[in-house]
Amino acid sequence: DTGVSQDPRHKITKRGQNVTFRCDPISEHNRLYWYRQTLGQGPEFLTYFQNEAQLEKSRLLSDRFSAERPKGSFSTLEIQRTEQGDSAMYLCASSSVAGGLTDTQYFGPGTRLTVL
Amino acid sequence: AQSVTQLDSHVSVSEGTPVLLRCNYSSSYSPSLFWYVQHPNKGLQLLLKYTSAATLVKGINGFEAEFKKSETSFHLTKPSAHMSDAAEYFCVVGGTGFQKLVFGTGTRLLVSP
């Protein structure tokens, strides 16, 4: 069973640089989510895709953040002009439609971003 | 708006003693509730899920949780703690269909020999 994978696992960058993360969901899952987790806190929702359509974005997702899911498969999350406040663990999750019941979201290992 | 409150930031138990991690929820409709566990340097793993079926939900590794609507609680229990249970535990609320998951702030479980 191949779970959700994320790449890279760790990223260190300098303030002002752009970074891009990749998430590969479980293959039959049509829903994909991004969350951000800062130290000592629970994950916070960023955005959600159903197939290739981005259906919801959190207010946390400033205009420096952009996410894509071309062809409804893998997804990328790009942060432009990184700031020290962007340092966090970025988590990806995927799920499949479960007919009215809340989907179970399966999480990847995360990408830890450190902005110097 | 939906929210969860985890009442303890840290819980310490001895190996072999019972575990109780407390969670209260707030939801304007019948919620779906989850407990996830996060071990250091590992991803979030689903322990158990409540979706309006049986109010007592059994999960993996001997954990269970009871949904109590009158108390708006969803506490996580285990009869006997094991050293490998030491981790961060998150109580989570969602809704029907797509819903972003709303996480609590977490409870760190410490297990001493």
Side-chain angles (χ1 to χ4, degrees):
Chain A
D1 175 34
T2 303
V4 178
S5 61
Q6 293 186 246
D7 183 69
R9 295 291 305 275
H10 303 273
K11 178 70 177 180
I12 299 174
T13 191
K14 293 182 179 179
R15 188 178 54 186
Q17 298 294 304
N18 298 345
V19 295
T20 300
F21 310 140
R22 177 179 171 126
C23 170
D24 287 272
I26 294 171
S27 59
E28 64 269 24
H29 286 181
N30 59 347
R31 291 179 168 174
L32 187 146
Y33 312 78
W34 286 98
Y35 292 82
R36 181 171 68 186
Q37 184 178 19
T38 53
L39 205 59
Q41 299 297 316
E44 294 175 292
F45 171 79
L46 291 179
T47 190
Y48 151 68
F49 290 85
Q50 180 152 322
N51 300 312
E52 66 275 9
Q54 187 175 19
L55 296 184
E56 185 166 334
K57 294 195 291 185
S58 162
R59 291 190 306 273
L60 293 175
L61 213 64
S62 77
D63 56 6
R64 295 185 298 105
F65 287 70
S66 62
E68 295 182 341
R69 192 182 182 198
K71 302 178 183 178
S73 56
F74 70 92
S75 176
T76 58
L77 178 67
E78 181 182 17
I79 308 174
Q80 296 183 324
R81 305 181 303 281
T82 53
E83 301 173 355
Q84 288 185 325
D86 297 331
S87 296
M89 177 76 84
Y90 290 85
L91 296 166
C92 177
S94 71
S95 70
S96 60
V97 178
L101 298 177
T102 296
D103 310 346
T104 295
Q105 295 182 26
Y106 296 89
F107 284 81
T111 294
R112 182 169 295 283
L113 173 66
T114 302
V115 182
L116 302 176
Chain B
Q2 295 172 289
S3 66
V4 290
T5 302
Q6 293 186 244
L7 300 171
D8 307 290
S9 60
H10 294 80
V11 170
S12 295
V13 300
S14 299
E15 190 174 23
T17 64
V19 175
L20 170 64
L21 305 183
R22 299 182 295 165
C23 173
N24 287 348
Y25 71 90
S26 174
S27 178
S28 54
Y29 46 84
S30 182
S32 293
L33 293 160
F34 308 79
W35 278 96
Y36 279 84
V37 61
Q38 188 173 39
H39 288 91
N41 301 315
K42 292 193 176 180
L44 286 158
Q45 181 182 21
L46 179 69
L47 277 179
L48 50 80
K49 170 181 176 180
Y50 166 77
T51 56
S52 75
T55 56
L56 183 62
V57 182
K58 293 188 183 297
I60 61 171
N61 300 334
F63 284 95
E64 62 182 37
E66 186 172 9
F67 174 74
K68 291 187 177 180
K69 186 175 181 178
S70 61
E71 299 176 9
T72 61
S73 68
F74 190 58
H75 301 334
L76 181 70
T77 60
K78 182 174 181 177
S80 176
H82 191 272
M83 294 296 291
S84 61
D85 294 328
E88 189 88 17
Y89 290 79
F90 292 97
C91 182
V92 184
V93 64
T96 55
F98 158 69
Q99 274 286 346
K100 64 183 181 184
L101 297 180
V102 177
F103 284 74
T105 51
T107 297
R108 181 164 297 278
L109 177 63
L110 307 169
V111 183
S112 56

